[in-house]
């Protein structure tokens, strides 16, 4: 049975981050295989508008932490023999055949060529199709400006007109792969992604607060996205994303609470099962925590192409990607062990699952820019160090 750890050091990290202005608010949670070890929060839900304290039952836009949920939905279909990861994407979603590779520009005119090989579902799951995000890809920034093709934020189907920026299988490029994967999952299931996730993951795991379309009560419990004004104080920028998009985004669409998402993390920590409910076979979970990109590496550094949205990401050398998870290649002193699976969300949410130590944890704020080096990124590290010190 899980027993609570002394969380005073973690409490201090969270409170200091809010009082120092590093983040507008924060909630965090830690669990082992048997239950929650720590939960806490600091700050208020909406600066200048709501004095509600932020905690582990508060709703957050988890953005790209959605990706692992969508990936698990695809892995469930793979286990049932319904989805072939080696099949070309266009076999499931025919309009993928129209996606070309951007090889530069002739003036302002994009140079688009046919991919050297067909992108497979495996390429989508591992971000090796060549599809990118504008905020870490200056070529896509230029392409969107030249063509009017939108990024995924407005929730328009037109976002699927974006090209690849590398040929499939030749490079790790983080991007809209999981949005396409969500459409693959829908095609296989013959139902919308929200229903697939409700029936196969959120429902079985008791994640009743995890949804693409929060009701009014849930919205009244949600933080908004915060940005800093010129005076250095945090202010609400609203919800930013379209609440009625053309499609449910497998790459970034979910709202959740720390208490809900930790159940998903625990299921992965326990090899695919929680409280007698199995969502994945143990061998599938092992594969998710195993290098799936071969000799390719997750980039040691990804420069920002849109500073108001994200800082540069400094991941360090030699990391790999599994199924939906960044895998660190070595132990980090005082922190996670080699083979830990993790990822984050654009509004500064972050989770990790350390199967060697036997813990999982996540930390949440909703703010921009992403991973500011001396603010949110530093908070992630301070939180993690405090967690391991308390074990």
């Amino acid at each position: 049975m899980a027993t609570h750890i002394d969380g005073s050091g973690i409490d201090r990290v969270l409170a200091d981050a809010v009082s120092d202005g590093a983040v507008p608010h924060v909630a965090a949670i830690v669990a082992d295989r048997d239950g929650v070890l720590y939960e806490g929060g600091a700050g208020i839900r909406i600066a200048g508008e709501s004095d509600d304290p932020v905690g582990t039952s508060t709703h957050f836009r988890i953005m790209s932490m959605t990706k692992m949920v969508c990936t698990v939905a695809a892995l469930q279909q793979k286990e049932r023999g319904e989805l072939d990861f080696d099949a070309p994407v266009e076999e499931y979603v025919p309009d993928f055949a129209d996606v070309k590779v951007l090889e530069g520009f002739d003036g302002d005119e994009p140079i688009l060529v046919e991919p050297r090989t067909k992108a497979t579902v495996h390429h989508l799951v591992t971000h090796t199709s060549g599809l990118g995000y504008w905020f870490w890809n200056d070529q896509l920034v230029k392409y969107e400006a030249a063509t009017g093709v939108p990024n995924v934020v407005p929730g328009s189907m037109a976002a699927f007109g974006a090209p690849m920026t590398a040929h499939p299988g030749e490079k790790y490029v983080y991007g809209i792969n999981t949005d396409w994967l969500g459409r693959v999952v829908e095609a296989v299931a013959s139902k919308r992604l929200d229903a697939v996730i409700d029936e196969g993951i959120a429902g079985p795991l008791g994640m009743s607060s995890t949804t693409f379309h929060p009701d009014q009560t849930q919205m009244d419990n949600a933080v908004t996205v915060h940005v800093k004004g010129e005076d250095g104080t945090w202010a609400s920028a609203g919800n930013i994303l379209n609440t009625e998009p053309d499609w449910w985004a497998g790459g970034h669409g979910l709202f959740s609470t720390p208490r809900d998402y930790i159940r998903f993390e625990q299921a992965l920590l326990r090899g695919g099962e929680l409280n007698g409910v199995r969502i994945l076979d143990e061998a599938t979970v092992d594969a998710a925590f195993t290098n799936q990109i071969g000799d390719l590496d997750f980039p040691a550094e990804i420069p920002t192409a849109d500073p108001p949205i994200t800082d540069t990401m400094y991941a360090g050398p030699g990391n790999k990607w599994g199924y939906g998870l960044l895998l660190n290649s070595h132990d980090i002193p005082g922190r996670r062990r080699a083979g830990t699976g993790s990822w984050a969300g654009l509004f500064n949410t972050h989770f990790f699952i350390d199967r060697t130590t036997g813990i999982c944890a996540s930390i949440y704020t909703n703010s921009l820019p992403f991973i500011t080096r001396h603010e949110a990124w530093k908070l992630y590290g301070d939180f993690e160090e405090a967690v391991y010190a308390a074990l």
Side-chain angles (χ1 to χ4, degrees):
M1 194 71 170
T3 55
H4 281 265
I5 56 178
D6 178 2
S8 57
I10 307 172
D11 288 340
R12 196 158 48 247
V13 166
L14 304 187
D16 287 352
V18 172
S19 64
D20 293 347
V23 292
H25 50 248
V26 61
I29 193 165
V30 184
D32 65 7
R33 292 172 53 88
D34 299 319
V36 172
L37 302 176
Y38 168 85
E39 50 188 326
I44 59 173
R45 195 166 58 82
I46 306 175
E49 296 179 38
S50 166
D51 291 333
D52 301 343
V54 166
T56 53
S57 296
T58 304
H59 276 82
F60 295 83
R61 282 193 178 277
I62 64 170
M63 299 302 282
S64 287
M65 283 168 53
T66 304
K67 286 183 170 65
M68 189 57 191
V69 181
C70 183
T71 298
V72 167
L75 289 169
Q76 290 175 332
Q77 293 177 334
K78 182 176 186 286
E79 285 185 350
R80 294 192 294 263
E82 299 165 357
L83 175 57
D84 179 2
F85 275 26
D86 293 326
V89 178
E90 64 194 60
E91 286 190 12
Y92 298 101
V93 187
D95 53 323
F96 195 89
D98 299 330
V99 179
K100 305 291 191 288
V101 179
L102 178 64
E103 286 198 335
F105 292 83
D106 181 4
D108 289 330
E109 189 66 28
I111 300 170
L112 297 169
V113 301
E114 290 291 334
R116 284 192 274 266
T117 185
K118 290 184 184 296
T120 65
V121 176
H122 186 275
H123 288 136
L124 294 184
V125 174
T126 57
H127 294 277
T128 54
S129 73
L131 291 165
Y133 275 127
W134 84 97
F135 51 80
W136 278 334
N137 194 306
D138 56 5
Q139 293 293 289
L140 285 175
V141 172
K142 186 172 181 179
Y143 181 85
E144 289 169 4
T147 64
V149 170
N151 64 49
V152 290
V153 171
S156 165
M157 288 297 290
F160 290 102
M164 306 169 197
T165 60
H167 289 269
E170 297 184 11
K171 187 178 180 183
Y172 180 100
V173 181
Y174 184 62
I176 63 170
N177 297 277
T178 321
D179 293 306
W180 278 102
L181 182 66
R183 294 183 61 194
V184 170
V185 168
E186 289 182 331
V188 169
S190 298
K191 60 181 69 170
R192 294 288 293 269
L193 186 61
D194 57 341
V196 175
I197 287 172
D198 284 346
E199 293 167 18
I201 301 167
L205 293 180
M207 298 167 64
S208 58
S209 297
T210 300
T211 180
F212 285 102
H213 36 80
D215 60 28
Q216 191 57 53
T217 300
Q218 291 168 327
M219 285 302 295
D220 290 343
N221 180 53
V223 298
T224 55
V225 183
H226 286 61
V227 297
K228 273 191 174 177
E230 291 182 7
D231 62 355
T233 61
W234 290 102
S236 172
N239 286 310
I240 295 186
L241 296 191
N242 184 355
T243 55
E244 296 183 357
D246 291 348
W247 89 102
W248 298 124
H252 63 266
L254 284 175
F255 283 77
S256 190
T257 67
R259 281 186 178 171
D260 251 28
Y261 201 86
I262 202 72
R263 298 180 66 79
F264 177 66
E265 293 178 65
Q266 280 184 288
L268 296 173
L269 179 66
R270 292 169 57 93
E273 171 274 334
L274 182 67
N275 296 341
V277 174
R278 179 161 292 281
I279 60 166
L280 286 177
D281 293 340
E282 196 158 350
T284 301
V285 177
D286 287 344
F289 282 85
T290 302
N291 172 26
Q292 297 291 342
I293 60 173
D295 294 335
L296 300 178
D297 283 328
F298 184 88
E301 180 179 328
I302 308 178
T304 180
D306 191 348
I309 299 297
T310 182
D311 206 341
T312 293
M313 183 169 189
Y314 301 95
N319 294 309
K320 295 294 184 176
W321 194 264
Y323 288 143
L325 296 167
L326 175 65
L327 307 174
N328 58 295
S329 55
H330 55 273
D331 293 348
I332 303 175
R335 293 173 59 181
R336 67 186 68 179
R337 302 291 295 276
T340 294
S342 67
W343 200 231
L346 186 67
F347 295 156
N348 287 307
T349 61
H350 179 80
F351 78 94
F352 68 90
I353 303 165
D354 179 349
R355 300 199 300 168
T356 300
T357 305
I359 64 162
C360 52
S362 40
I363 185 167
Y364 301 77
T365 186
N366 269 185
S367 64
L368 285 172
F370 178 53
I371 56 169
T372 42
R373 198 166 188 188
H374 302 293
E375 294 180 324
W377 186 255
K378 180 180 183 299
L379 171 58
Y380 293 170
D382 291 347
F383 164 66
E384 193 174 321
E385 287 180 3
V387 168
Y388 281 81
L391 294 176

